[in-house]
Amino acid sequence: MSYDLVVIGTGPGGYVCAIRAAQLGLKVAVVEKRNTFGGTCLNIGCIPSKALLYASEKFEEVEHEVAALGVVTGKPKLDMPAMMKHKDDTVAANVNGVAFLFKKNKIESFIGSGAILSAGKVEVTAEDGAKQIVETKNIVIATGSDVAQLPGVEIDEKTIVSSTGALELKKVPGKLLIVGAGVIGLELGSVWHRLGADVTVVEFLDRILPGMDDEVAKTFQRILEKQGFKFHLGQKVAKVEKSKTGLKVAIEPAQGGEAASLEADIVLVAIGRRPYTEGLGLDAAGVAMERGRVVIDDHFATNVPGIYAIGDVVRGPMLAHKAEDEGVAVAEMLAGQHGHVNYETIPGVVYTMPEVAAVGATEEELKAKGIAYKVGKFPFTANGRARAMRHTDGFVKILADAATDRVLGAHIVGAVAGELIAEAVVLMEFGGSAEDLARICHAHPTMSEAVKEAALAATEKRPIHM
Ligand SMILES: Cc1cc2nc3c(=O)[nH]c(=O)nc-3n(C[C@H](O)[C@H](O)[C@H](O)COP(=O)(O)OP(=O)(O)OC[C@H]3O[C@@H](n4cnc5c(N)ncnc54)[C@H](O)[C@@H]3O)c2cc1C
């Protein structure tokens, strides 16, 4: 059997690519070494973490928030197996959904590890060692990423865990120490903090959320500290020692200096992810790599004709929706259409409470590029809906070109920021201005009115409710 397209890996990049290609009439097969489809995102990433974030948020609301709304409850009791079941059921519904979509679109699946023998030939090795060769006109590598390891600290997924282990803890840790103040560390830290853990975050850089707008990161850090998070910034973890009573974590200033020691029951290593290409045979196939990533051109093509790559395994932000959009684009190109991804408008969201969401340039990036810009800000304390929900932490910040008023970036800290950012993405995709955003009618009372007000502040310094 020969195919038009074989996709290796069924994460959001791979499975979306396969479906789009099949929709466009290509004969498609996927190769997946896991027993379920959906990759990191659906099995051990976006989906299970959001299921636990949602559940733990409800727990915290009952414990700390609903009384102020006049809802009297007793102290909530944590049923950990039930919370984990909610997470597992959510994962199952999603991965089974992908299996259904493969069937619906007549996509063949091969369960096993894929290796590229040459352009047009993929060898699949099943768990029992049985091998078969699948022939195809085109190959898309969508093998994603894996946890980045901290040198000298061995992850056992019991007491020293990666994000995967942190989604499976059997009980709430007394003391959780997180290495890395990026999105994954802060999201999983929030889950366990809400359920009762004492959370300390150690970060090499002198700030949290590297890459996000500085002011946003500082505000968010203050909010997390108010919630009870402790931060050690500009510090690196040198060693983690196991003892009978727990873990002893040696930290030292990133730029050198006196070491200190912290105690923890669980250490979560969340220093990032690295592209995953093990066993793919890329060397033998002659596929060029750079710092672990597969090198591609603007059409997702590698240096070997007929071999393409998308998602976490190539350049760009390691995000599920970026992988999905690349999957659609490459499928459309292979079907003779003109697929495209606009990398200027890929949103990023931190699903904590409050959430953090951003699209486009940060103030630091605009300054570095010497672009003159205007800033419009609006706090949720002045938003009626936010007050009604008692979610007044945070603000919206709109950055617009000083000369043309075109929106160059939007940054939000606040409840439902991850939903609010979508209108800024649409606006930027259409090259809209702050004035456009400010003149669009927004329903009252909604959190989205803060986006309009920030745009008003950017365009003419005339927010109505400030
Ligand atoms: C805890 C956590 C939370 C996250 N939350 C979010 C979030 O909220 N939003 C967001 O946008 N992103 C999130 N991410 C990141 C997101 O999961 C990734 O960006 C996304 O999964 C990348 O998709 P992908 O298709 O490139 O690869 P992956 O999802 O990593 O999938 C790759 C697939 O390829 C398979 N594979 C690898 N090698 C082979 C081989 N040789 N043969 C066969 N199969 C192979 C793997 O088994 C895997 O199924 C999160 C990640 C983690 C870890």
Side-chain angles (χ1 to χ4, degrees):
M1 175 78 76
S2 181
Y3 295 89
D4 294 319
L5 170 64
V6 167
V7 183
I8 308 179
T10 65
Y15 88 73
V16 169
C17 175
I19 292 171
R20 185 68 187 125
Q23 283 175 344
L24 293 170
L26 302 192
K27 194 167 171 43
V28 183
V30 293
V31 182
E32 174 54 61
K33 69 189 177 79
R34 220 180 255 281
N35 288 322
T36 50
F37 302 124
T40 304
C41 177
L42 271 55
N43 289 280
I44 51 167
C46 327
I47 296 299
S49 59
K50 267 78 251 179
L52 287 184
L53 277 158
Y54 182 75
S56 59
E57 196 179 310
K58 294 294 133 190
F59 183 84
E60 188 176 72
E61 271 174 21
V62 173
E63 184 159 33
H64 297 298
E65 288 174 26
V66 295
L69 305 174
V71 181
V72 181
T73 58
K75 192 172 163 54
K77 209 174 135 223
L78 177 62
D79 180 347
M80 186 84 139
M83 198 176 276
M84 288 296 173
K85 182 175 180 304
H86 159 66
K87 176 205 64 171
D88 294 340
D89 289 350
T90 310
V91 168
N94 280 276
V95 300
N96 293 339
V98 175
F100 163 79
L101 291 171
F102 282 169
K103 276 210 181 78
K104 181 182 164 201
N105 288 284
K106 302 192 171 40
I107 295 164
E108 203 83 41
S109 53
F110 294 89
I111 300 300
S113 190
I116 299 173
L117 300 183
S118 61
K121 272 199 176 63
V122 176
E123 183 183 64
V124 183
T125 307
E127 223 172 2
D128 63 5
K131 290 182 188 296
Q132 62 181 314
I133 289 175
V134 185
E135 304 214 345
T136 176
K137 287 188 193 133
N138 298 291
I139 297 169
V140 169
I141 300 168
T143 49
S145 60
D146 197 4
V147 171
Q149 306 278 335
L150 186 62
V153 178
E154 203 181 319
I155 292 171
D156 59 17
E157 298 297 15
K158 288 189 177 75
T159 55
I160 304 178
V161 299
S162 70
S163 54
T164 309
L167 291 164
E168 296 283 340
L169 297 181
K170 299 279 177 283
K171 62 174 191 160
V172 180
K175 286 185 178 158
L176 172 64
L177 185 138
I178 301 171
V179 193
V183 179
I184 293 175
L186 298 182
E187 285 187 357
L188 293 173
S190 286
V191 167
W192 294 109
H193 180 260
R194 291 165 185 169
L195 300 179
D198 180 58
V199 173
T200 300
V201 183
V202 180
E203 166 60 51
F204 185 84
L205 300 174
D206 59 2
R207 54 162 295 167
I208 70 167
L209 292 180
M212 283 205 153
D213 189 270
D214 217 18
E215 185 184 14
V216 162
K218 283 201 177 90
T219 302
F220 187 52
Q221 183 184 337
R222 276 198 298 275
I223 294 170
L224 289 177
E225 281 168 343
K226 221 166 68 189
Q227 290 177 7
F229 274 61
K230 295 182 199 93
F231 289 98
H232 293 270
L233 302 182
Q235 299 279 329
K236 63 181 179 194
V237 167
K239 205 164 49 178
V240 181
E241 278 175 343
K242 293 184 183 177
S243 75
K244 277 195 194 113
T245 51
L247 301 167
K248 234 169 107 180
V249 183
I251 62 168
E252 55 191 46
Q255 308 308 334
E258 212 169 301
S261 178
L262 299 172
E263 287 181 355
D265 300 303
I266 300 283
V267 167
L268 162 59
V269 178
I271 56 167
R273 297 185 59 82
R274 58 176 184 88
Y276 183 81
T277 54
E278 265 162 53
L280 257 184
L282 296 188
D283 267 0
V287 174
M289 310 269 291
E290 198 178 79
R291 282 185 284 138
R293 298 197 180 216
V294 177
V295 177
I296 51 167
D297 66 11
D298 289 345
H299 296 86
F300 309 100
T302 69
N303 58 317
V304 179
I307 303 182
Y308 302 80
I310 56 170
D312 278 10
V313 83
V314 301
R315 83 281 180 273
M318 286 181 161
L319 292 169
H321 41 284
K322 176 260 194 186
E324 287 186 37
D325 285 5
E326 290 182 338
V328 168
V330 75
E332 291 179 346
M333 285 173 189
L334 292 173
Q337 298 188 351
H338 302 281
H340 176 69
V341 178
N342 182 358
Y343 290 94
E344 305 294 313
T345 55
I346 295 176
V349 178
V350 189
Y351 295 84
T352 41
M353 176 53 90
E355 295 182 347
V356 182
V359 61
T362 62
E363 282 203 57
E364 295 70 50
E365 283 164 352
L366 293 176
K367 277 183 195 140
K369 286 184 186 158
I371 297 172
Y373 64 94
K374 305 181 280 189
V375 186
K377 270 199 309 189
F378 192 81
F380 284 108
T381 43
N383 175 273
R385 185 71 185 279
R387 286 193 200 123
M389 299 191 303
R390 294 175 58 85
H391 287 318
T392 50
D393 273 343
F395 59 84
V396 180
K397 171 155 102 174
I398 300 288
L399 304 175
D401 189 289
T404 65
D405 198 39
R406 183 179 174 143
V407 172
L408 303 173
H411 305 272
I412 308 174
V413 185
V416 301
E419 304 293 338
L420 296 178
I421 202 69
E423 79 163 313
V425 177
V426 173
L427 184 96
M428 286 177 65
E429 190 64 48
F430 285 89
S433 65
E435 185 178 353
D436 289 331
L437 190 49
R439 288 191 181 278
I440 292 169
C441 186
H442 287 66
H444 175 75
T446 59
M447 299 282 281
S448 73
E449 287 172 291
V451 179
K452 177 187 172 113
E453 294 268 12
L456 274 167
T459 188
E460 283 181 43
K461 301 273 173 241
R462 58 170 180 94
I464 302 289
H465 293 92
M466 276 281 286

